[in-house]
Amino acid sequence: MAGQADNRAPYARIAAHYAEQISSGQRQPGSLLPSIKTLAEEWKVSTATAEKALRKLRNDGFVRGIHGIGTEVLDRPGSMSSGSQRLDRGRRTGSSWGEGERSDSHEAGVVPAPADVAQALDTETGADVIRRSRVYRDRHGIVAHSTSWIPARYGKLIPQLAASERLTGGTSLQLIAQATGHPISHRIDTASARTLTPEDARLLELDPDDLPSEPVVVMTAKFIDSQGEIVEYGVDLGGPGRTWRTESEVSA
C-alpha cells in the first residue's frame, strides 16, 4: 500500500524515478539525463550505482548513450501490464497504474457470462457475473483495455463492484479479500496475440475500417483465494504497438 518502504536496490529506485519521468512526459525525447557524477551526488550513491541505474534504463529502452554527449531520452510507447503485474504493483505502491499511466472510462454492471468467461469462472454460460472495465492510457494513447469478470455473489458483499466508477478503498481483489477474510492464494496467467476484431477496435477506440495489420497482445489472469474459490478473471487487450515485458532477478 501507499507509504510502504521501498525495498528495491538503490539503482532500481533511481531507474524507476527517471522511467516514470520519461513515461509521463516530464523528460522529453531528445533531452539528456544527468551525468553519472551528478546522479551519484544527487542520490548520494556511488558512481557504480549511478552507472548501473543508467544501464538499466538503456536495457529497458528508455534511453541511449551517445559517446561524448551523454544519455539521451528516447520516445517509445510503454509496455502493457498483466493483471497479475497490476496486482503486485498495487500491493507495493497502492496503485495499479504503470509508469506515466492513468485510467478512465470506468464501466461496470451485472451481465450474462459469455461462454469463455463462464468457463474461466467455473459457472454456467449466461449466469450473472459482474463486468468491470477501464482504459489505461499514457501520453502515447491507449496502453490497454482491461476487463475484470467477477462472480455476482461478491456484488452482494461489495455493492460498489457493480458501480460504474473507480473503486475506493482498494482494488477489487483487495476489497473481496477484506470482505471474505480469504486472501488471494494463487493465480494463473496466460499471454497470447490475436488479429484485431471489430469489437477489439471499438474497445481500443480505433477506426474499424482502418485496423492495424499487426496482432495485439492479450493477457488473462485468473485469481483464486485460499479456499479455492475463483475470485476474478481479468482480460487485458493491448493497444496496437504495445508489447508486454517482465523482469526478475536471476541468482548466480
Side-chain angles (χ1 to χ4, degrees):
M1 299 298 291
Q4 285 184 323
D6 189 338
N7 295 319
R8 290 174 295 181
Y11 84 90
R13 291 200 300 272
I14 297 170
H17 171 80
Y18 287 103
E20 166 64 24
Q21 288 192 340
I22 294 168
S23 296
S24 66
Q26 291 178 259
R27 297 265 176 179
Q28 292 296 311
S31 64
L32 298 178
L33 292 190
S35 67
I36 291 173
K37 181 181 178 181
T38 300
L39 283 178
E41 293 173 348
E42 290 181 350
W43 288 82
K44 295 180 173 58
V45 297
S46 67
T47 55
T49 295
E51 184 176 13
K52 190 173 182 180
L54 291 181
R55 187 184 312 123
K56 176 170 173 54
L57 288 168
R58 290 197 300 272
N59 291 341
D60 290 349
F62 286 102
V63 300
R64 66 170 180 169
I66 303 178
H67 182 69
I69 296 178
T71 302
E72 180 186 44
V73 173
L74 297 176
D75 188 19
R76 58 131 205 179
S79 59
M80 63 181 289
S81 300
S82 67
S84 296
Q85 288 171 311
R86 293 191 184 282
L87 173 64
D88 291 341
R89 187 184 297 128
R91 286 172 170 170
R92 187 176 66 249
T93 69
S95 172
S96 65
W97 294 342
E99 293 165 347
E101 282 185 355
R102 67 186 189 282
S103 63
D104 58 30
S105 304
H106 291 254
E107 296 182 357
V110 178
V111 301
D116 61 325
V117 172
Q119 182 178 13
L121 294 179
D122 194 22
T123 190
E124 298 293 327
T125 299
D128 283 351
V129 295
I130 297 170
R131 180 185 186 273
R132 293 191 57 81
S133 66
R134 79 290 293 166
V135 175
Y136 290 98
R137 306 177 194 269
D138 64 13
R139 64 192 180 87
H140 290 276
I142 290 181
V143 178
H145 181 281
S146 181
T147 305
S148 299
W149 300 91
I150 303 168
R153 63 182 179 275
Y154 295 115
K156 298 176 182 178
L157 292 173
I158 313 162
Q160 70 165 315
L161 289 177
S164 294
E165 55 189 26
R166 185 177 291 117
L167 294 174
T168 59
T171 66
S172 55
L173 292 168
Q174 291 170 329
L175 293 173
I176 291 171
Q178 291 167 8
T180 63
H182 303 147
I184 302 301
S185 62
H186 64 287
R187 65 202 185 198
I188 302 169
D189 300 314
T190 72
S192 60
R194 73 175 182 227
T195 302
L196 282 165
T197 66
E199 174 61 11
D200 293 337
R202 184 186 71 80
L203 295 177
L204 296 175
E205 302 172 10
L206 299 171
D207 181 353
D209 297 322
D210 186 26
L211 296 181
S213 58
E214 70 270 16
V216 294
V217 177
V218 182
M219 310 289 301
T220 72
K222 184 189 296 187
F223 300 92
I224 302 168
D225 71 13
S226 58
Q227 301 300 301
E229 295 290 337
I230 301 170
V231 172
E232 184 173 309
Y233 174 62
V235 180
D236 287 276
L237 175 67
R242 300 288 177 165
T243 59
W244 173 71
R245 66 183 295 273
T246 184
E247 65 177 78
S248 58
E249 297 293 332
V250 177
S251 300

